[in-house]
Amino acid sequence: MDAVDRTLVEALRANGRATYAELARLVGLSGPSVTDRINRLEQAGVITGYRAAVDPSTLGLGVTALIGVLLSDAADLDDVARRLKDVPEIEDCWFVAGEESFVLKVRAGDPVGLEKIIGRLGRIRGVARTRTTIALSTKWEARQIPIPAED
């Protein structure tokens, strides 16, 4: 990935709806050249998709929680991961080092909804227990960190 590719990726991270013409003007290339570069970045897995940023509270999902999942000694890690994927309220799932095996970011409409999610998680075979932290407010989310320049 060269400097032009990094500029294109940064521009698309800021505005996923930017046109090829706008991107071409930004980097000083032709529209077809930009199209080729973006296609190459998609095929290489650098760009994995384009999404709309949505405020969850406007959708009635005002409760955000991080849930640590501790597994039983006999748990099948891959099986638990597959079952977690079936829980639609889980927005993000990280496999982590430490006491917990997974940390989940979930959204719920209210504390009662969160309680139901936690109950469902506890019934997944291999889950020994969970530890929940409720976010009181969001200071920022999905921050776009700078892309490191190649040395």
Side-chain angles (χ1 to χ4, degrees), residues 92-143:
D92 295 300
C93 175
W94 299 282
F95 177 62
V96 298
E99 189 177 350
E100 288 119 350
S101 297
F102 296 98
V103 174
L104 316 173
K105 178 179 173 183
V106 302
R107 306 276 188 180
D110 55 32
V112 171
L114 178 59
E115 182 179 11
K116 289 177 183 176
I117 296 166
I118 294 167
R120 279 202 326 259
L121 295 173
R123 289 189 295 277
I124 292 175
R125 185 178 50 233
V127 172
R129 64 188 179 97
T130 61
R131 183 182 342 218
T132 303
T133 301
I134 297 174
L136 298 177
S137 66
T138 301
K139 301 307 180 195
W140 72 81
E141 205 168 23
R143 182 192 329 206

